[in-house]
């Protein structure tokens, strides 16, 4: 595999045998600028850029869980056994600040209109949230994960494809470890599988004494280089974090995230009875992100046959904001790798508008050594890492590390 600028020739592991090698060799990630098409700095400083939705189909719900109410917004209704796309945001943000730019991107809408989309806000982080009372005990990271089955049950989801960023990626990974049959795939951006050591803990405490909470959170979201050079984007998020998210509630979430334990995962074969994520995983990090080391560490602990590691060039701590086009392209092929095929409007490849048709699950043959993991409805087959191709490609390995 060679990377020339932003050209990416995908390895066969990204897609299953349903997509031919000839087709792969022609696919490229287009160059995306740090700001979205048609946006300027003034727009990024406008709260409506983050908080407005492109349609009125979203419905808000407050769902009762064993650890308190959970605010979610949902669009669509479950369609048979098709999974829902469920997101979880990073600390300092909420679903709007974290995901609106990505999910409002035109090509991403072509994908998501075929799925139910459910955005989860961590307790007390949603827009307009009331401040928690004095003495409120914020749920632990494990308890945040244990709240999600209530969401799945409430809406009747069979299983989910999770998209998480930072703290949200940690929560979704923990959820997949506890409830593997409810998770079909995960996109984990900026995940850090390690808990804070004493030195890190002390440094965080000291930072809290010398910096405001928004500035402390910004150092988690952005690299030092971004904080210095990308002042417009950083200033916009400083304003949003300070004005949109309840600061007392944010402090509780921030404290709990920094008290997290190590994710109990190890690459199969490295230790006896190793636990790891059983579903396909796409790890995503910008090449200028503060979470890069943590994502690399996570990659070393996952099953290489079901893991894709995507390092995005010219991208910092928020690739879903600065590079939504590249991330959309990667997500489309991740879905195809799990057996979903997309017929999407793609002006770059076709030279013109192609009507969107559908996204359907493809039937795939399996090798005799593979077994299907039963789902909550007893009919689901777990995505496999090795498939027997009708086109003679043989076994396909998902293991790859790419830059784009």
């Amino acid at each position: 595999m060679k990377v020339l600028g932003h050209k990416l020739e995908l390895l066969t592991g990204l897609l299953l045998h349903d997509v031919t090698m000839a087709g792969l060799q022609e696919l490229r990630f287009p160059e995306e600028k740090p700001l979205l098409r048609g946006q300027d700095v003034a727009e990024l400083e406008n709260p409506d850029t983050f908080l407005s939705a492109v349609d009125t189909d979203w419905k808000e719900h407050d769902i009762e869980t064993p650890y308190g109410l959970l605010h979610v917004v949902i669009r669509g209704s479950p369609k048979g056994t098709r999974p829902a796309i469920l997101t979880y945001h990073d600390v300092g943000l909420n679903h709007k600040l974290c995901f609106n730019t990505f999910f409002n991107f035109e090509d991403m809408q072509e994908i998501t209109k075929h799925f139910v989309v459910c955005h989860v806000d961590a307790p007390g982080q949603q827009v307009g949230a009331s401040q928690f009372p004095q003495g409120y005990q914020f749920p632990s990271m494990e308890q945040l994960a244990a709240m999600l089955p209530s969401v799945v049950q409430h809406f009747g989801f069979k299983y989910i494809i999770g998209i998480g960023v930072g703290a949200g990626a940690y929560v979704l990974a923990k959820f997949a470890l506890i409830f593997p049959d409810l998770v079909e795939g995960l996109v984990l951006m900026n995940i850090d599988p390690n808990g804070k050591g004493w030195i890190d803990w002390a440094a965080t405490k000291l930072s809290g004494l010398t910096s405001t909470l928004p500035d402390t959170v910004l150092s988690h979201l952005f690299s030092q280089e971004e904080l210095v050079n990308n002042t417009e984007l950083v200033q916009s998020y400083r304003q949003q974090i300070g004005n949109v998210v309840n600061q007392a509630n944010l402090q509780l979430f921030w404290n709990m995230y920094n008290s997290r334990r190590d994710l109990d995962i190890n690459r199969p074969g490295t230790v006896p009875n190793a636990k790891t994520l059983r579903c396909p995983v796409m790890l995503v990090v910008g090449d200028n992100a503060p979470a890069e080391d943590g994502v690399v560490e996570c990659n070393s602990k996952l099953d290489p046959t079901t893991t894709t590691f995507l390092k995005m060039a010219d991208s910092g701590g928020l690739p879903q904001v600065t590079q939504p086009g590249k991330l959309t392209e990667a997500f489309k092929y991740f879905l195809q790798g799990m057996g979903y095929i997309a017929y999407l409007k793609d002006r770059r490849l076709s030279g013109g508008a192609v009507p969107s048709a559908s996204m359907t699950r493809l039937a795939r043959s399996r090798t005799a050594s593979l077994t299907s993991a039963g789902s909550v409805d007893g009919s689901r087959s777990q995505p496999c890492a090795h498939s027997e191709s009708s086109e003679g490609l043989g076994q396909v390995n998902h293991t790859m590390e790419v830059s784009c």
Side-chain angles (χ1 to χ4, degrees):
M1 178 192 69
K2 296 181 180 180
V3 179
L4 299 175
H6 292 300
K7 179 179 179 181
L8 172 64
E9 297 192 2
L10 299 178
L11 299 181
T12 55
L14 187 59
L15 304 180
L16 293 178
H17 59 274
D18 306 293
V19 181
T20 65
M21 284 292 293
L24 283 176
Q25 292 171 351
E26 296 300 322
L27 295 174
R28 306 177 183 181
F29 284 119
E31 180 179 1
E32 294 291 338
K33 301 300 181 183
L35 303 184
L36 297 183
R37 294 174 298 183
Q39 283 188 327
D40 55 24
V41 172
E43 288 181 76
L44 280 176
E45 293 176 348
N46 184 350
D48 291 339
T49 300
F50 296 97
L51 302 183
S52 63
V54 296
D55 57 50
T56 58
D57 296 335
W58 296 97
K59 296 180 181 179
E60 298 188 54
H61 299 263
D62 289 313
I63 298 175
E64 196 71 55
T65 80
Y67 302 101
L69 288 177
L70 202 56
H71 179 265
V72 305
V73 296
I74 185 171
R75 183 183 65 191
S77 56
K79 300 176 176 66
T81 59
R82 186 174 302 175
I85 295 175
L86 184 145
T87 74
Y88 212 114
H89 60 86
D90 202 354
V91 64
L93 309 176
N94 49 47
H95 82 269
K96 293 183 177 181
L97 292 174
C98 192
F99 291 112
N100 259 21
T101 299
F102 181 41
F103 279 81
N104 287 351
F105 191 74
E106 183 179 1
D107 289 347
M108 186 63 177
Q109 292 181 52
E110 288 292 323
I111 296 174
T112 58
K113 71 182 183 181
H114 301 290
F115 295 88
V116 180
V117 178
C118 180
H119 294 302
V120 177
D121 285 317
Q125 310 304 302
Q126 70 270 22
V127 176
S130 300
Q131 184 169 318
F132 290 125
Q134 188 73 22
Y136 172 81
Q137 180 60 48
F138 197 87
S140 68
M141 301 302 288
E142 291 76 13
Q143 290 171 337
L144 290 176
M147 298 170 81
L148 295 180
S150 298
V151 177
V152 173
Q153 183 179 19
H154 179 87
F155 294 113
F157 300 153
K158 300 300 182 182
Y159 29 87
I160 63 113
I161 295 171
I163 303 178
V165 180
Y170 182 100
V171 170
L172 288 179
K174 179 66 72 173
F175 172 63
L177 288 170
I178 302 172
F179 306 98
D181 288 338
L182 295 180
V183 182
E184 180 157 353
L186 288 175
V187 177
L188 304 177
M189 291 179 266
N190 300 336
I191 186 171
D192 188 345
N194 300 318
K196 291 277 190 180
W198 283 106
I199 295 177
D200 293 329
W201 180 85
T204 300
K205 287 293 184 182
L206 181 61
S207 176
L209 295 175
T210 59
S211 303
T212 65
L213 181 58
D215 284 335
T216 301
V217 172
L218 285 173
S219 66
H220 161 75
L221 298 175
F222 299 99
S223 67
Q224 285 301 313
E225 182 178 345
E226 287 181 289
L227 292 174
V228 172
N229 296 332
N230 201 357
T231 55
E232 295 88 356
L233 183 63
V234 171
Q235 181 57 35
S236 176
Y237 269 88
R238 178 183 286 109
Q239 177 185 2
Q240 301 302 322
I241 293 169
N243 296 337
V244 174
V245 183
N246 183 284
Q247 298 297 283
N249 296 353
L250 171 55
Q251 185 71 67
L252 294 175
F253 189 17
W254 175 250
N255 292 344
M256 191 56 69
Y257 177 64
N258 286 300
S259 301
R260 69 189 182 279
R261 301 175 181 177
D262 291 351
L263 274 179
D264 185 20
I265 55 175
N266 288 283
R267 178 165 289 186
T270 59
V271 298
N273 302 317
K275 291 176 59 179
T276 194
L277 297 174
R278 287 166 39 186
C279 63
V281 178
M282 182 168 71
L283 299 175
V284 181
V285 69
D287 64 353
N288 186 32
E292 182 178 357
D293 290 344
V295 179
V296 171
E297 173 87 8
C298 187
N299 184 56
S300 71
K301 295 183 176 183
L302 296 180
D303 186 344
T305 67
T306 57
T307 303
T308 301
F309 181 19
L310 179 65
K311 184 183 292 186
M312 300 182 67
D314 301 325
S315 181
L318 297 177
Q320 77 278 14
V321 173
T322 59
Q323 301 284 3
K326 288 182 180 179
L327 188 57
T328 297
E329 198 83 356
F331 182 57
K332 180 172 70 174
Y333 296 127
F334 179 68
L335 290 176
Q336 288 180 333
M338 291 192 297
Y340 294 93
I341 184 70
Y343 301 92
L344 302 174
K345 181 171 64 177
D346 196 330
R347 296 163 304 282
R348 294 181 300 274
L349 298 181
S350 66
V354 177
S356 173
S358 64
M359 181 171 287
T360 57
R361 189 69 184 271
L362 296 179
R364 294 164 296 158
S365 59
R366 303 176 188 275
T367 59
S369 62
L370 293 172
T371 58
S372 298
S375 69
V376 289
D377 66 351
S379 62
R380 170 190 167 211
S381 295
Q382 193 79 333
C384 60
H386 300 88
S387 297
E388 182 180 353
S389 172
S390 61
E391 298 175 0
L393 291 179
Q395 289 189 336
V396 180
N397 195 319
H398 283 238
T399 308
M400 59 179 291
E401 179 178 346
V402 297
S403 297
C404 62

